[in-house]
Amino acid sequence: MDSYMATVNGIRVHYRRAGEGPPVVLLHGWPQTSYCWHRIFDRLARDHTVIAPDLRGYGLTDKPRTGFDKRTMATDVSALLHELGFSSASVVGHDRGGRVAHRWALDRPDEVERLAVLDIIPTREMWRRLDAGVARGYWHWLFHLQPDLPELLAGKDIPAYLGYFFERWTYQRQGLDPDAVAEYVRAFSAPGALRAGFDDYRASFPDDAEHDDADFGRKLTMPVLALWGQAGLLGALPTLDIWRDYAEDVTGEGLPECGHFLAEEQPDAVLEHLKRFL
């Protein structure tokens, strides 16, 4: 995975690129960077031009004080796509990157040919279903929304804080590959990185909520693939039925023996699904 920098939408964006063919944009989640695709990146690049940016505030991309609403973050990656000479692409988003991808598809449907969402339901739907069971799984959302406190507590031991999620959110409960964990710890130890990651969550209110409410009832028209870890929270939710309320053409399934980090826990299964879908 070769690394590059581009200045788009007023910030410097770090991205990885490889391959030739129809473009595919891969958007990572929290607490990760574009490195999270390392187990499928090169294989996907055999048939596609694969572009994997670090989202605004993450990895080597700039960490401004503003712009963490999903509309602005989607504009970042849209501008990057055009900077690289493409007018449209298939988009794959995991976790927070899936929320950016969903907003991108809503705001610029002509740019998103196909949309794959990994281990998420729409943000608006998650808040609507926030009962005790969902709250137990998504407690970190409510914590990360708080001003200043997450930085104070998580910043005292970044490896331990991130490691909690890598262990709890994986099926095998052995965390992720040590090299990957080291990469994520390094990234979130950089100045401003913790704050920026939490600002991604803090943008949920009022900006993201207002945008999502305004678009509720308008379904995505491009094909949508929804994949999730069967051992995670979404395994207990009617995930496909939920997405069918937000998109016209939805397929997908839960991956067995898989937690939250699909592309790292079950890369072969994810790659197989993506190759059929793309």
Side-chain angles (χ1 to χ4, degrees), residues 64-124:
R65 291 285 181 173
T66 60
F68 290 93
D69 61 282
K70 301 308 153 292
R71 176 161 287 163
T72 301
M73 295 177 76
T75 300
D76 295 340
V77 290
S78 169
L80 176 64
L81 183 70
H82 286 278
E83 177 72 14
L84 298 180
F86 300 101
S87 59
S88 64
S90 296
V91 181
V92 181
H94 174 246
D95 186 76
R96 308 301 298 177
R99 304 186 189 286
V100 174
H102 186 197
R103 173 47 55 190
W104 188 3
L106 284 167
D107 287 353
R108 296 177 172 85
D110 57 314
E111 295 182 1
V112 179
E113 299 172 9
R114 291 174 173 269
L115 173 65
V117 285
L118 276 54
D119 215 58
I120 67 161
I121 57 173
T123 305
R124 185 182 186 278

Side-chain angles (χ1 to χ4, degrees), residues 2-46:
D2 292 329
S3 292
Y4 305 90
M5 298 294 294
T7 299
V8 294
N9 201 29
I11 63 171
R12 281 169 53 85
V13 173
H14 170 255
Y15 65 98
R16 306 171 193 269
R17 176 178 177 172
E20 299 290 340
V24 178
V25 178
L26 307 178
L27 303 178
H28 66 85
W30 184 94
Q32 297 178 288
T33 69
S34 57
Y35 186 81
C36 79
W37 306 106
H38 65 104
R39 298 189 70 183
I40 69 169
F41 191 95
D42 288 339
R43 289 186 286 170
L44 194 58
R46 293 171 186 168

Side-chain angles (χ1 to χ4, degrees), residues 44 53 64 84 100 113 115 144 162-163 193 197 204 210 213 221 226 252 261:
L44 194 58
L84 298 180
V100 174
E113 299 172 9
L115 173 65
H144 292 174
L162 300 190
S204 299
E210 289 179 355
D213 286 345
T221 56
F261 302 101

